[in-house]
Structure formats: C-alpha cells, structure tokens
Amino acid sequence: MADHTRRTVLRGTAVAAAGGLVGAMGGRGAAAASPAPVPGTATQGGHRFPFLEGAFKPVTEELTAFDLPVTGRVPRELNGRFLRNGPNVLGLEDPRAHHWMLGEGMVHGVRLRDGRAEWYRNRWVRSASVAKKLGEPYPGPVPPDDFPCNTHVIGHRGRILALQESGPLPYELDHELGTVGTYDFRRTLEGAFTAHTKFDAAAGELYAIAYYPTWDHVRHQVIDHTGRVARTTRIPVADAPMMHDFALTEKYVVIFDLPITFDPAGAERGDLVPYVWNERHPTRVGLLPRAGGEVRWFEVDPVYYSHTLNAYDEGSSVVVDMTTYPAPFYVAGRGSDGPYGAGTASLERWTIDVAHGRVRTRTLDDRPQEFPRVHEALVSRRHRYAYTAAAADMTLAYLTADGNPPDRAFANALIKHDLLRGTTQVHRLPRDAAAGEAVFVPSEGARAEDDGYAIAYAHNPGRGAADLVILAAQDFTGEPVARIHLPGRVPLGFHGSWIPDA
C-alpha cells in the first residue's frame, strides 16, 4: 500500500475542489474577507447538504469587534479568553467535495476582563493551504501532514494550541488568535497527535492517544511539566482504527478500539474520508496501566464511542462516562456531507470490572446530546456533575442519510447532570438557537464542584448572530448571568476551552 499522508488519505479530492484567494485585514469592527463563497443554497440537483446550511453554514469573514454589548453583567472574576474551534470551509466551489470534518479550522474567541467583554475575534488557522487561499505568505517549510487544525483549542504551558487528530502538528496561536506556527512540544513530538488530550492537574501532565492510517499500532504519549513528550508507548492494534477520544483515571489510560477502520481502497479512490464501519473488527476497551505494563482488553457490544466526559477508579473497577451512538456509525457519511448515525447520541456509563473481566453499560440519559464536559480539575478523578449540549440541527444532520432528514422534532438546550442523584436541569433555548459545547469555569475560591459558570456560544435567531451565554451553574435553569452579543454567527463546531489569565 502506498505511504499515504494526511493530504492523500483524509483530504481526498477536497483539495482540488477548494479554490479562491481572499484578503483579510484587521481593525475595529468587521475585518472583511471575501473567499469564494459557499453556494447560497444547500441543495444541488435536489440533494441537500445539511452541514453547509442552518446552524452549520460557514461564515465568510474574519471579524474583530471591541467593547461588546452585554445583557446582564459579566462576572468580574472571569478574566481570560473563551475559545472554540471548528471546521469552517474556505473557498468551497462544489458542495459535493465537502465533508464537515475537513473544513478549515476557525477559532472563535471572546476576551473577558474586569467585568467587560473586551473583544471578539474569529480567525482561520493559517496552515499553508489556508495562507495560500488568503493570499498570505507561509513562513518556513510546509510540514508533511499540514492541516488547518479544526477540532479543539487548548491552553498549555502559556501557549494556545489548535489541535487535530491523526497526523498534523498542533498550530500555536497568539493571544489575539493570530497563527504563530506549528508546535511540536519543543521538538519532541514524532508522528501524529490527537485533538482530545487529557490534562491531569495533580500530575501536571498532558496525555494523548494518537493514531495514523499506516501504523500497526496507536501511541500513548505523555507530555511532562516541562512541555516535552517524556514517554511514548506503542500499543499494537489491527486494521488501523480511528481513535477519536480516550479516557484517563489515576491508574489507567482507557483506550477504545472500535470498528471504524481505515479503508485503503477508499484512499486509493480518493474518498474524502476513507474510514468505514468494519463489521469484522471487534469492539473492545483496553486498560493501559499508567505505571507501565501491558494493555488488558475487554470486548463489548458494537457501538460508536464519541466523547469522554470523565473517568475514575472505583475499587477494582474503572468507571467511564461518555456519549455514544448506536451501531453502525458512518464517519464518512452516507450520501451527505458529514457523519451519519443510525440513532442519536446519549450519555452512558461503562463500568469496567477488572476483577471479573467484564464491562457493564447503562444509559444515564437517553435524550439526544453531545459534547460532555466536566470540571477540568477533576479529570481522572471522581466527579458528580456533567454538562452537555443538545442542538437540534446537529441531531438532524447526523440522521440525514442521502439528503433526507427524519420527520422528527429536536430541542436546543444545555443540560446539567447530577450523576450522584441521577437528576438533570435543562436550560432551554428557543427554536433555531443552537448551542455548542458548554465549558465549566469554577468561581474564585469555589468550595462546591458546581460553584462556577457554564459558558457556551449560542445562536440568537432574533439577531441572526451568536451570543456568548454565561450561566451560573448553581442556577442553571435561571436567566443567564450575561449574554454577550457578538457581531456575527458562530457555526456549530467542535471543542473549546476557557483559558484564564496567568
């Protein structure tokens, strides 16, 4: 098999289909950019493209605005940046060459300081291809698997990193979301990285599970307190599976080996996303001891494991809370321009019984929801509260096969889960007010796990633009503490972080 890079494996014909050069400029108010626009309609020949319309419709301008208007009052203790990454296709000419997950990464950010919403910015991540489309120079040599990272944005050791899985180096951003360049953890990262890192605050270490389509293994990587990759463990796996996320406890790294595997024939054909649901590949979960040793595998019924909420050790068991979709799940889609699921995502708990060699699963909440988040200081330790998002447009898009959405109604809401009591609180949003991932930010001097704020971007249909919504987590169903009114839309995307001032 040819030695495919990410360009040939995951970009397929999308590179040839994208086009157009644009110019961008900064300054107060809107900074105009004019890429070749996404077609005004999300239909072509009667076929719909759900990830190019509605809440997903890409924005075509980079904006900068200062002194944002606020309804309510921004808590003075919130000093930092709320950032979120997501795919925002640039210069697309033919929607048939589009896949949502391959859109160029765009980071949206709001700067809060001393009770003010100081600025909003949205910026494409300047990979070499994006720089070319924008008519800008790209400094230095182009990395072999260069990609405008679109999945996550985190703060690490004073840096802001845009992340992607399966090949590309992270891109470092400055504090105003300008692209600094690729980042390889002080020249210690070899090969692929991940979008879903786990930071153990007690250990001061960043953890990753990386995969690559031509590897016969996946890699567990540990970045130490100096910011270097201190340890890499190669874990043999068959069929080059996609490992989108993983989990971490104080004792174990939890690895999910699912039946979504690399399709070499699809890569040779130039498929946009050559990964398929592989019925012959077993579904299993593995425990790798953090102290060192071999992985122990446990088989489970086929399912698509989407995102980790958190995990922790409980006696001789490991508890993992996560969102899952029923099998099969088609990451490449089935006639649409994004993933397709056989059902909706729900919140589940898997208890891995190490002593008896089995996994018990149960549904915590079967309402459609995604993007689970926890108090970040509790990653790898027991938690009580969880925060998820329900976005009607996302649910409908994932269920749209061959351009035909199901005739069902779904809600827009943010959900707070009390996993000790088994109860939920729902902050309901209006029709067409799609909300993205809610990030929990603790209050200064907080004593309770939920003493703080849940922060998310939500579309405001009345304005045709987005608001940054700040909810008091202990008054979750009440009116937002603040609604910060942004000058433009924030399309539904992926993941983000609160990055406090140092």
Side-chain angles (χ1 to χ4, degrees):
M1 182 179 69
D3 184 17
H4 300 284
T5 69
R6 185 180 181 86
R7 283 198 195 90
T8 59
V9 169
L10 292 186
R11 293 295 288 177
T13 58
V15 172
L21 298 177
V22 307
M25 60 183 183
R28 179 175 293 270
S34 304
V38 173
T41 175
T43 65
Q44 184 167 315
H47 185 91
R48 296 182 64 240
F49 298 90
F51 291 93
L52 288 173
E53 64 180 3
F56 293 96
K57 187 175 181 180
V59 298
T60 59
E61 294 180 325
E62 292 184 328
L63 303 177
T64 301
F66 299 94
D67 296 323
L68 306 174
V70 178
T71 299
R73 187 171 295 178
V74 176
R76 295 187 66 85
E77 62 184 314
L78 293 179
N79 291 288
R81 293 160 177 80
F82 182 76
L83 308 182
R84 202 227 62 195
N85 202 351
N88 192 95
V89 66
L90 173 63
L92 180 69
E93 294 180 345
D94 185 351
R96 294 171 299 179
H98 178 257
H99 189 285
W100 181 44
M101 296 190 307
L102 296 181
E104 286 86 350
M106 174 176 276
V107 176
H108 299 259
V110 173
R111 167 67 155 122
L112 304 180
R113 179 156 51 187
D114 297 331
R116 295 173 48 237
E118 201 168 82
W119 55 249
Y120 162 79
R121 286 179 168 88
N122 64 316
R123 296 291 187 268
W124 274 290
V125 177
R126 259 58 171 187
S127 67
S129 63
V130 168
K132 181 178 180 180
K133 291 179 185 180
L134 295 173
E136 300 172 358
Y138 182 82
V142 179
D145 285 316
D146 191 41
F147 189 77
C149 301
N150 70 18
T151 310
H152 205 350
V153 56
I154 65 170
H156 183 64
R157 302 294 174 196
R159 301 177 188 270
I160 298 173
L161 303 178
L163 302 180
Q164 188 80 21
E165 63 194 71
S166 185
L169 289 173
Y171 263 94
E172 183 181 353
L173 309 179
D174 64 27
H175 286 175
E176 295 185 343
L177 307 188
T179 300
V180 176
T182 56
Y183 185 67
D184 58 5
F185 297 99
R186 303 173 71 175
R187 300 183 180 181
T188 60
L189 178 64
E190 295 181 3
F193 199 57
T194 186
H196 289 287
T197 55
K198 311 296 176 197
F199 183 71
D200 184 332
E205 294 174 333
L206 188 70
Y207 288 77
I209 292 289
Y211 69 94
Y212 197 74
T214 59
W215 290 351
D216 61 359
H217 62 277
V218 296
R219 296 179 185 177
H220 167 234
Q221 300 157 329
V222 182
I223 294 93
D224 66 15
H225 68 280
T226 70
R228 292 180 169 89
V229 179
R231 188 164 70 255
T232 299
T233 303
R234 298 191 177 196
I235 304 162
V237 293
D239 303 324
M242 176 179 286
M243 290 193 180
H244 181 62
D245 203 350
F246 72 105
L248 188 72
T249 76
E250 292 183 83
K251 294 180 182 177
Y252 297 103
V253 180
V254 188
I255 306 158
F256 295 87
D257 185 6
L258 305 179
I260 295 178
T261 61
F262 177 60
D263 178 19
E268 295 292 346
R269 288 192 304 268
D271 290 357
L272 287 174
V273 182
Y275 278 85
V276 296
W277 184 266
N278 183 354
E279 298 282 359
R280 298 183 301 276
H281 188 87
T283 307
R284 58 183 189 163
V285 56
L287 297 181
L288 172 68
R290 284 175 63 171
E294 298 295 319
V295 178
R296 182 176 176 186
W297 294 103
F298 305 79
E299 289 204 6
V300 295
D301 292 334
V303 68
Y304 177 62
Y305 154 77
S306 178
H307 292 110
T308 300
L309 168 67
N310 193 29
Y312 58 87
D313 303 302
E314 186 175 66
S316 63
S317 295
V318 170
V319 177
V320 188
D321 291 342
M322 67 191 82
T323 50
T324 67
Y325 290 80
F329 186 87
Y330 300 97
V331 68
R334 298 186 72 188
S336 66
D337 55 332
Y340 168 66
T344 59
S346 59
L347 187 65
E348 287 203 352
R349 170 166 290 177
W350 290 13
T351 302
I352 306 166
D353 186 337
V354 179
H356 296 93
R358 63 191 180 197
V359 180
R360 300 189 303 274
T361 67
R362 70 182 178 97
T363 300
L364 298 174
D365 192 334
D366 63 0
R367 285 174 290 191
Q369 59 199 286
E370 252 288 15
F371 302 137
R373 294 296 292 255
V374 70
H375 189 318
E376 292 295 305
L378 296 178
V379 168
S380 79
R381 287 156 177 81
R382 184 187 294 271
H383 60 277
R384 174 175 176 177
Y385 297 105
Y387 305 87
T388 58
D393 277 33
M394 178 168 287
T395 302
L396 285 168
Y398 269 59
L399 293 175
T400 298
D402 302 321
N404 298 309
D407 186 19
R408 297 171 63 185
F410 298 97
N412 291 303
L414 297 173
I415 307 172
K416 176 187 177 183
H417 301 265
D418 185 334
L419 301 174
L420 178 63
R421 295 183 176 178
T423 60
T424 60
Q425 297 178 55
V426 180
H427 186 90
R428 301 188 185 280
L429 297 164
R431 181 181 176 87
D432 298 326
E437 178 183 70
V439 174
F440 177 79
V441 182
S443 297
E444 289 183 1
R447 295 184 178 181
E449 181 184 329
D450 64 342
D451 184 2
Y453 307 93
I455 307 180
Y457 290 116
H459 185 63
N460 185 325
R463 297 193 311 110
D467 293 337
L468 181 62
V469 178
I470 303 176
L471 303 178
Q474 293 183 334
D475 184 23
F476 198 77
T477 61
E479 283 296 309
V481 173
R483 256 183 207 281
I484 301 168
H485 305 300
L486 309 186
R489 296 176 52 253
V490 177
L492 278 177
F494 294 139
H495 309 285
S497 301
W498 169 252
I499 301 178
D501 292 346

